[in-house]
Amino acid sequence: MENTSIYIHIPFCKHRCAYCDFNTYARQEDSIPLYIKALINEIEAVTSLKPNPINVHTVFFGGGTPSLLSAPQFDSVLQALRAAFTLTADAEISIEANPGTTSPEKLDAIRKAGINRISFGVQSANTEELRMLERIHDFFTVIQSVADARKAGFDRHSYGVNLDLIYGLPEQTLSTWQTTLQRIVDLQPEHISAYALTLEHGTPFGRWSSKGLLPLPDPDVAAEMYEYAEEFLEDSGYVHYEISNWALDRGPLTTDRSSQSTVHRPPSFACKHNLQYWHNLPYLAFGAGAHGYANGYRYSNVLRIKTYIERLSQPSAFRPLPFPLSPATVNQHKQTLKDDMSEYMLNNLRLTNAGVTESDFRLRFRRWLLDVYPKEIEELIQNGLLECKTSEAPANGETSEVYRLTKRGRLLGNQVFVRFV
Ligand code: SF4
């Protein structure tokens, strides 16, 4: 039976950051108890539709700020999941947390409840940059939160700690970014994510930028920041396994790009949940604004907390829906083969070491990759954005072509992805 993943959205934040366009709401924490009930109702409603038992190997509480939930609230959602699905013995169960919203007692209790990976939204180690982002923490709070997480057991016997960063920030220089990376590596997290700042329409940052009021670094400097992160993190022992993600590895791993036989397996502390997305494998979604992909559907839930709670307040009135849709679903799309192949390319090419293997593509879609995307692949290789090497397929030792982003392709990923849409 194929393993599935579960995403649970917690749309509450203490304060809305100036760059954020996630589905999250400030000062609505009073609704958390009713929201938890609605989540449990949604889990039960979807489970009642499932055709067969489902193995779940990752659960991800994302947000928003999931760490605003209490340990008993996490526990009740996890109990509902355990009653509804078969959680594998080694399931990765992650939460996103904001530094300063996790007391030692809470960390201890959620670790005991079964959560075994924590991802802190650090963004920067520079006080001025954090202030510009309107984050509620400073870097001393990060140091304390990571120390508390370690004491609670988020360590190398679990799936450890991730620290999220953003680069290309207003007023940021290459030098402040270098200091941030050094301070982050000093904390020895198992996993590091670094995303470029994107200016989203409708956010204060989007508005200030369109009026020329946001002192952003030059795009060439932002590219230098990315290249510096690639070199510095690899020199610090982190394996660059996805465009924006690095992780420690327990065992030997071939990362030599010139090698004709490159190991495909991700590093030990790679995020299993995100690998499910990047491998275009199924995940169920619960919560306001959550997006899922399962049973041939891409689907998403209603955004507003109040409407979400209302839609799930009377489970007895639920009419049967196709699995995995729920009364909260507002968008659903039945995937075509073309959709799946296109998304497979977009997602798998993000994996800098693994890339897209011809034999895996053929196994999944029963089509030759070069028959489906001949022109796209040829042009991307000619333009130096994609490279092709012969490598061993992981399962049967059969040699197969592997397509990966080049160094330039990693910087200009969107120019690659758009060719497969
Ligand atoms: S803490 Fe995260 S989710 Fe919440 S407003 Fe800030 S960026 Fe958005």
Side-chain angles (χ1 to χ4, degrees):
M1 195 192 332
E2 189 174 56
N3 279 332
T4 296
S5 291
I6 288 180
Y7 175 77
I8 297 191
H9 193 68
I10 308 295
F12 302 93
C13 284
K14 281 195 170 171
H15 167 79
R16 192 161 180 104
C17 305
Y19 60 98
C20 177
D21 83 329
F22 297 147
N23 185 46
T24 189
Y25 305 87
R27 294 178 300 281
Q28 296 211 19
E29 289 97 311
D30 288 354
S31 304
I32 290 179
L34 282 178
Y35 187 79
I36 297 294
K37 276 193 191 145
L39 267 179
I40 292 169
N41 284 346
E42 190 182 21
I43 292 165
E44 286 170 359
V46 170
T47 318
S48 69
L49 307 167
K50 75 181 174 11
N52 296 305
I54 293 178
N55 273 349
V56 171
H57 74 141
T58 74
V59 177
F60 194 98
F61 289 89
T65 308
S67 47
L68 291 179
L69 266 50
S70 67
Q73 285 165 339
F74 277 116
D75 202 32
S76 59
V77 177
L78 284 170
Q79 275 184 33
L81 290 177
R82 289 196 176 99
F85 303 101
T86 309
L87 260 65
T88 59
D90 62 347
E92 175 194 272
I93 305 179
S94 306
I95 66 160
E96 288 185 327
N98 274 345
T101 59
T102 48
S103 65
E105 298 73 30
K106 187 193 276 189
L107 286 165
D108 198 47
I110 63 173
R111 182 72 189 87
K112 288 196 173 100
I115 291 167
N116 52 27
R117 183 176 186 273
I118 189 160
S119 172
F120 286 107
V122 177
Q123 320 315 359
S124 168
N126 180 288
T127 306
E128 192 52 27
E129 288 166 10
L130 287 170
R131 198 188 58 75
M132 291 283 284
L133 290 172
E134 299 186 357
R135 299 293 301 202
I136 56 171
H137 65 270
D138 57 24
F139 194 64
F140 293 106
T141 319
V142 174
I143 296 170
Q144 188 59 55
S145 297
V146 172
D148 292 343
R150 294 300 192 198
K151 272 191 216 134
F154 292 93
D155 54 21
R156 302 215 172 152
H157 301 292
S158 68
Y159 289 102
V161 170
N162 170 58
L163 302 180
D164 268 343
L165 299 175
I166 306 181
Y167 64 93
L169 301 175
E171 309 272 20
Q172 192 175 36
T173 63
L174 186 56
S175 163
T176 62
W177 174 237
Q178 289 170 335
T179 306
T180 285
L181 285 172
Q182 183 63 60
R183 288 183 178 163
I184 291 300
V185 165
D186 288 347
L187 294 174
Q188 302 188 329
E190 284 70 30
H191 193 284
I192 298 172
S193 302
Y195 288 91
L197 176 71
T198 49
L199 297 169
E200 304 292 353
H201 184 71
T203 62
F205 265 31
R207 284 195 293 280
W208 298 337
S209 163
S210 62
K211 291 181 187 160
L213 298 174
L214 213 55
L216 291 172
D218 183 276
D220 286 344
V221 176
E224 262 183 78
M225 291 177 183
Y226 179 75
E227 286 174 333
Y228 180 81
E230 280 192 300
E231 267 176 45
F232 177 75
L233 293 177
E234 279 200 23
D235 288 349
S236 306
Y238 290 84
V239 179
H240 190 190
Y241 73 101
E242 194 268 351
I243 293 182
S244 306
N245 288 275
W246 290 258
L248 294 179
D249 190 59
R250 285 197 174 99
L253 179 77
T254 308
T255 53
D256 176 6
R257 291 182 181 285
S258 63
S259 166
Q260 287 296 299
S261 172
T262 304
V263 173
H264 289 234
R265 94 176 156 74
S268 336
F269 287 101
C271 176
K272 280 166 67 178
H273 185 83
N274 285 343
L275 283 170
Q276 187 87 354
Y277 298 156
W278 295 321
H279 285 137
N280 228 40
L281 293 169
Y283 54 96
L284 302 172
F286 301 102
H291 289 243
Y293 170 58
N295 197 27
Y297 286 99
R298 287 234 175 243
Y299 62 99
S300 62
N301 280 351
V302 63
L303 296 173
R304 296 259 160 210
I305 294 170
K306 188 165 172 281
T307 323
Y308 175 78
I309 292 172
E310 279 166 9
R311 284 183 173 226
L312 287 151
S313 58
Q314 292 175 331
S316 57
F318 294 167
R319 63 193 163 81
L321 291 163
F323 176 82
L325 309 183
S326 88
T329 309
V330 284
N331 294 304
Q332 60 188 72
H333 171 70
K334 195 74 182 158
Q335 294 282 102
T336 62
L337 175 65
K338 199 170 161 212
D339 295 330
D340 275 334
M341 289 192 298
S342 154
E343 287 162 14
Y344 183 93
M345 294 304 289
L346 299 189
N347 288 321
N348 280 265
L349 280 176
R350 297 192 64 88
L351 295 166
T352 47
N353 275 343
V356 170
T357 302
E358 153 64 34
S359 58
D360 289 348
F361 185 91
R362 198 165 8 105
L363 197 67
R364 178 137 170 193
F365 299 110
R366 312 211 171 277
R367 303 276 304 272
W368 291 89
L369 180 59
L370 285 180
D371 285 349
V372 182
Y373 299 113
K375 195 158 146 256
E376 292 82 353
I377 288 179
E378 190 191 325
E379 286 177 9
L380 289 168
I381 290 177
Q382 269 174 10
N383 293 336
L385 298 171
L386 208 61
E387 64 181 18
C388 174
K389 291 209 167 134
T390 303
S391 186
E392 287 172 14
N396 52 15
E398 177 198 347
T399 58
S400 178
E401 306 302 302
V402 182
Y403 297 87
R404 297 187 186 88
L405 295 178
T406 59
K407 197 170 171 54
R408 196 168 113 82
R410 296 199 291 279
L411 271 173
L412 303 172
N414 285 342
Q415 288 186 26
V416 177
F417 305 142
V418 75
R419 297 303 313 272
F420 297 99
V421 174

